[in-house]
Amino acid sequence: MASPAAYAAPLREMKWSPAEKAVARRAFDLALGRELEAVVREAKDRAVRIQEPSELWELERWLTERRREIDRKYDYRYSVLPLVLASLLRDGSLTEDDLRGLGQDQLEAVRRAARS
Amino acid sequence: MASPAAYAAPLREMKWSPAEKAVARRAFDLALGRELEAVVREAKDRAVRIQEPSELWELERWLTERRREIDRKYDYRYSVLPLVLASLLRDGSLTEDDLRGLGQDQLEAVRRAARS
């Protein structure tokens, strides 16, 4: 992925209509919801498999890492949103279908970032 | 509980024979093992009951608190050990039977701290 700085100026100037904001918010929330569900499932699996007390603190560490990773990844500021959506496309959390309704320039910015 | 300082001088001067150390270590490990098992059980229960993602981070916080509490509580330095054993007696993690084999002065220090 190119550094955010490479896109920062055009992204900051990008205009979002209320309808485009709604599409972006829905896609963002969809991906976040899926990711959180996956973490809930895996946390339950990990807890069931605990046999040694030391594995408790591994679960704690794993949860802390997941929380920090999710906080870092899901940044809804419009100035970085196309980069965030691109990373969600790239890792399969979203499809292009989920982004239908975004403006042409927004989709272009997302695709460009997803390819880089 | 009286402040540790009230006991610190005599406790620091207390002598521990190898046999007394072995009794103390066994009792300490027994209580710690029971406590860790209880935390494992409760962590599994909590994980099974998770329905909302926010409860994941409650589980994380709860585990962090348990880990810190256990680290604080289970301090094996001989200079504070009678106070530690006293707190384990008081909260029911140990019985006087578990301390059989300690010297008279050690038992006295534990009982005195457990009553205070």
Side-chain angles (χ1 to χ4, degrees):
Chain A
M1 179 169 151
S3 83
Y7 301 106
L11 294 186
R12 254 205 309 274
E13 291 157 18
M14 195 170 270
K15 296 278 176 283
W16 296 78
S17 72
E20 289 160 351
K21 285 184 179 181
V23 169
R25 171 54 82 179
R26 197 181 53 223
F28 182 94
D29 287 347
L30 184 71
L32 177 56
R34 285 174 184 158
E35 177 136 7
L36 287 170
E37 267 176 37
V39 178
V40 168
R41 266 197 310 276
E42 187 169 346
K44 286 173 181 269
D45 279 357
R46 285 174 179 251
V48 164
R49 291 199 309 268
I50 288 176
Q51 294 188 312
E52 297 298 322
S54 65
E55 294 169 277
L56 274 177
W57 320 128
E58 284 168 28
L59 174 61
E60 180 207 354
R61 240 187 334 267
W62 180 81
L63 284 168
T64 302
E65 285 165 12
R66 291 296 73 70
R67 181 172 50 76
R68 289 185 182 153
E69 187 189 335
I70 289 171
D71 280 352
R72 206 167 38 233
K73 187 169 167 187
Y74 289 85
D75 182 347
Y76 196 75
R77 290 171 300 153
Y78 290 107
S79 59
V80 294
L81 195 53
L83 304 180
V84 173
L85 295 174
S87 84
L88 296 174
L89 268 188
R90 229 183 358 239
D91 72 14
S93 305
L94 289 179
T95 66
E96 287 241 359
D97 253 18
D98 298 320
L99 301 180
R100 200 176 299 172
L102 286 190
Q104 207 45 47
D105 51 346
Q106 288 144 6
L107 278 173
E108 258 317 293
V110 171
R111 287 188 191 121
R112 196 169 53 228
R115 276 194 307 268
S116 60
Chain B
M1 179 170 150
S3 83
Y7 300 106
L11 294 185
R12 252 207 309 275
E13 291 156 17
M14 194 172 270
K15 296 279 176 284
W16 295 78
S17 71
E20 289 159 352
K21 286 183 178 180
V23 169
R25 171 54 81 178
R26 197 181 52 223
F28 181 94
D29 286 346
L30 184 72
L32 177 56
R34 285 174 183 158
E35 178 136 5
L36 287 170
E37 267 177 37
V39 178
V40 168
R41 267 197 311 275
E42 187 168 346
K44 286 172 181 271
D45 279 358
R46 285 175 178 251
V48 164
R49 292 198 310 268
I50 288 177
Q51 294 189 313
E52 297 298 321
S54 64
E55 294 170 276
L56 274 177
W57 320 129
E58 284 168 30
L59 175 61
E60 181 207 354
R61 242 187 333 266
W62 181 81
L63 284 168
T64 303
E65 284 165 12
R66 291 296 73 69
R67 181 171 50 77
R68 289 185 181 153
E69 187 190 336
I70 289 172
D71 280 351
R72 207 167 38 233
K73 187 169 165 188
Y74 289 85
D75 182 347
Y76 196 75
R77 290 172 299 154
Y78 290 106
S79 59
V80 295
L81 194 53
L83 304 180
V84 173
L85 295 175
S87 84
L88 297 174
L89 268 188
R90 232 186 355 243
D91 71 15
S93 304
L94 289 179
T95 65
E96 287 241 0
D97 253 17
D98 298 319
L99 301 179
R100 200 176 299 171
L102 287 189
Q104 206 46 47
D105 51 344
Q106 289 144 7
L107 280 174
E108 259 316 295
V110 171
R111 288 189 191 119
R112 196 167 56 227
R115 277 194 308 269
S116 62

